[in-house]
Amino acid sequence: MKSNYIWCSLLLILLTSCARQRNLVYFSDLKTQGDNISTIVNDGEPKILKNDVLSIDVNSTSPESNVMFAANPTSVNMNGFYEKQGYRVNASGRIKFPVLGEVKVEGLTIAQAQSLVEQELNRYVVNSIVNIKFMNFRVTVIGEVNHPSTFTIPNEKINLLEALGLAGDMTPYGKRENVLLIREIDGKRTMVRVNLNHQNVLNSPYFYLKQNDILYIEPDKAKSVEYSHSSRSMPLIVATISAIAVLATAFLHR
């Protein structure tokens, strides 16, 4: 009789604990003792791409020159707010800048582009200072995160962990071992998966994000089971089996 009760109990445990245990720890293969020091092989410095929009401000000791190279033109949107238009990098990788004409900036970092424009401007202006910023440096984080959204990055440099932090981190259902990154450059779309359970992702060329990258956090199978129609009846099924087990045990003890 006792053996029947034990078998019923084991059946209940099996039915109620069939979910697979998942690793929810980032970099879980990292050594827990001692310092973990490694050389940064990818500094994540973004390069200017086609269709980027740049904010370019010029300052010099000449008031006339400052007027000539006034800050980016503005436009008025439908709500009456002023917005900077910026300078768009065309299909040839160039921007059209006052006096200088077309300047090729594609493939340059912001610092390199500033140096190039300053060098060109110094033929017309004394001691010019150029400040260039991305106006379209955005990343999108969707899927199993607490606050999915598109985020504008003011400092133009962000990595995977920082992007997840902006999105409120993953939910417990998010697959940390299978994060999908979607990147579009020069008309080509790259889709790669990265494993945030492993520390080698820190040296990945995809650890630092580029403008307009998309991160998709895939849900674990446990969520689909939880939200499926059949799963809603699981508590009733377990309760029914439990009641049957209790009745069977009582009957066998007679």
Side-chain angles (χ1 to χ4, degrees):
M1 296 180 184
K2 291 184 178 180
S3 62
N4 291 330
Y5 180 77
I6 293 172
W7 280 113
C8 291
S9 301
L10 289 175
L11 179 61
L12 285 174
I13 294 172
L14 180 63
L15 289 172
T16 56
S17 61
C18 58
R20 179 176 62 88
Q21 186 176 4
R22 295 182 53 247
N23 185 357
L24 301 181
V25 180
Y26 296 116
F27 314 128
S28 56
D29 62 341
L30 198 64
K31 294 179 180 179
T32 56
Q33 295 181 349
D35 295 331
N36 293 275
I37 302 174
S38 60
T39 303
I40 298 176
V41 297
N42 181 7
D43 62 4
E45 191 71 23
K47 303 291 181 66
I48 298 172
L49 307 174
K50 293 183 179 69
N51 294 317
D52 275 343
V53 181
L54 305 177
S55 167
I56 305 179
D57 295 322
V58 178
N59 291 287
S60 70
T61 56
S62 170
E64 295 80 6
S65 298
N66 292 338
V67 172
M68 181 186 304
F69 301 105
N72 306 275
T74 57
S75 61
V76 182
N77 64 21
M78 297 183 65
N79 296 321
F81 294 100
Y82 285 90
E83 297 179 335
K84 282 188 175 183
Q85 290 180 336
Y87 297 91
R88 182 175 294 278
V89 183
N90 62 24
S92 301
R94 293 175 166 81
I95 56 171
K96 292 183 178 180
F97 199 72
V99 178
L100 300 182
E102 289 195 347
V103 180
K104 186 172 178 61
V105 294
E106 181 188 11
L108 302 180
T109 65
I110 290 297
Q112 291 170 338
Q114 288 178 165
S115 178
L116 174 62
V117 175
E118 285 180 356
Q119 182 180 345
E120 295 294 322
L121 282 177
N122 282 337
R123 295 186 297 172
Y124 310 95
V125 181
V126 178
N127 297 326
S128 64
I129 299 175
V130 176
N131 185 29
I132 300 178
K133 293 182 179 180
F134 285 105
M135 296 182 66
N136 67 323
F137 202 104
R138 296 185 293 268
V139 297
T140 299
V141 187
I142 56 175
E144 281 301 316
V145 290
N146 289 295
H147 306 294
S149 186
T150 297
F151 305 96
T152 300
I153 312 303
N155 63 352
E156 302 158 356
K157 185 176 181 180
I158 187 171
N159 60 43
L160 283 167
L161 299 181
E162 291 168 332
L164 290 172
L166 290 176
D169 203 2
M170 295 188 202
T171 70
Y173 296 107
K175 284 188 174 182
R176 287 148 178 80
E177 71 279 7
N178 200 22
V179 175
L180 177 64
L181 186 149
I182 304 171
R183 176 174 295 171
E184 295 185 6
I185 299 178
D186 291 336
K188 296 180 181 180
R189 181 180 294 112
T190 301
M191 303 176 71
V192 297
R193 295 185 182 273
V194 295
N195 187 346
L196 292 180
N197 288 145
H198 293 169
Q199 61 173 317
N200 57 13
V201 71
L202 297 171
N203 295 326
S204 167
Y206 301 101
F207 181 67
Y208 285 97
L209 303 180
K210 297 185 181 297
Q211 52 270 50
N212 304 313
D213 276 356
I214 298 174
L215 286 180
Y216 170 58
I217 312 304
E218 188 176 334
D220 185 68
K221 291 182 179 179
K223 183 169 186 179
S224 62
V225 171
E226 179 179 336
Y227 283 88
S228 67
H229 176 73
S230 61
S231 67
R232 297 174 185 174
S233 59
M234 184 60 70
L236 179 60
I237 294 173
V238 173
T240 302
I241 294 174
S242 179
I244 293 172
V246 171
L247 291 174
T249 303
F251 178 79
L252 292 172
H253 276 82
R254 287 184 177 182

